[in-house]
């Protein structure tokens, strides 16, 4: 038949199994590398934030108390969407359009207030 021989079923299964094992071992290796890099980045960011918060920012000019007195304190946001002269269906359409135009998923956007003009 020539120099090439036909593989049997057992040999074919062993070759396929060794291929699967190689792929899974490499995937586990990549997972391990990603976890190590993630841990290192978390540690580096943690020490950077700790150092930044430990060192107070020096202020060369005194703060103007008159400017702060004129500013009205903002109402803290309670996490709920405020609809002003707008029904829920219109607000949902507006949110969908903004998400589509900016290519930002809806779960990453924060809408605080939607008002009809």
């Amino acid at each position: 038949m020539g120099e090439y021989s036909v593989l049997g079923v057992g040999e074919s299964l062993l070759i396929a199994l060794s291929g699967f094992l190689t792929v899974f071992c490499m995937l586990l290796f990549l997972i391990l590398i990603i976890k190590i890099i993630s841990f290192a980045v978390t540690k580096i960011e943690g020490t950077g934030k700790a150092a930044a918060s430990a060192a107070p920012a020096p202020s060369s000019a005194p703060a103007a108390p008159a400017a702060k007195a004129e500013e009205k304190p903002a109402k803290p946001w309670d996490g709920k969407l405020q609809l002003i002269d707008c029904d829920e269906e219109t607000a949902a359409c507006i949110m969908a359009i903004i998400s589509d135009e900016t290519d930002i998923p809806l779960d990453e956007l924060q809408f605080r207030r939607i008002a009809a003009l």
Side-chain angles (χ1 to χ4, degrees):
M1 205 169 185
E3 60 187 77
Y4 297 108
S5 64
V6 178
L7 291 177
V9 175
E11 291 174 331
S12 299
L13 289 176
L14 283 176
I15 291 173
L17 181 64
S18 67
F20 283 128
L21 287 176
T22 303
V23 169
F24 284 123
C25 287
M26 292 307 294
L27 287 174
L28 289 174
F29 177 71
L30 287 174
I31 289 171
L32 179 67
I33 294 296
I34 290 171
K35 292 219 183 253
I36 289 171
I37 291 173
S38 174
F39 179 75
V41 169
T42 304
K43 284 293 186 182
I44 291 171
E45 285 182 354
T47 56
K49 288 180 182 177
S53 64
S59 60
S60 59
K68 287 188 178 181
E70 291 176 9
E71 291 180 9
K72 194 174 181 183
K75 179 181 173 185
W77 186 50
D78 59 356
K80 295 181 182 176
L81 174 64
Q82 296 176 355
L83 298 178
I84 302 170
D85 297 330
C86 181
D87 61 326
E88 290 182 3
E89 184 177 341
T90 305
C93 289
I94 291 170
M95 291 187 284
I97 291 169
I98 290 173
S99 174
D100 184 56
E101 290 293 323
T102 60
D103 291 329
I104 300 173
L106 274 174
D107 61 346
E108 293 180 12
L109 292 172
Q110 289 184 358
F111 294 93
R112 296 183 179 198
R113 182 180 307 133
I114 297 177
L117 299 178

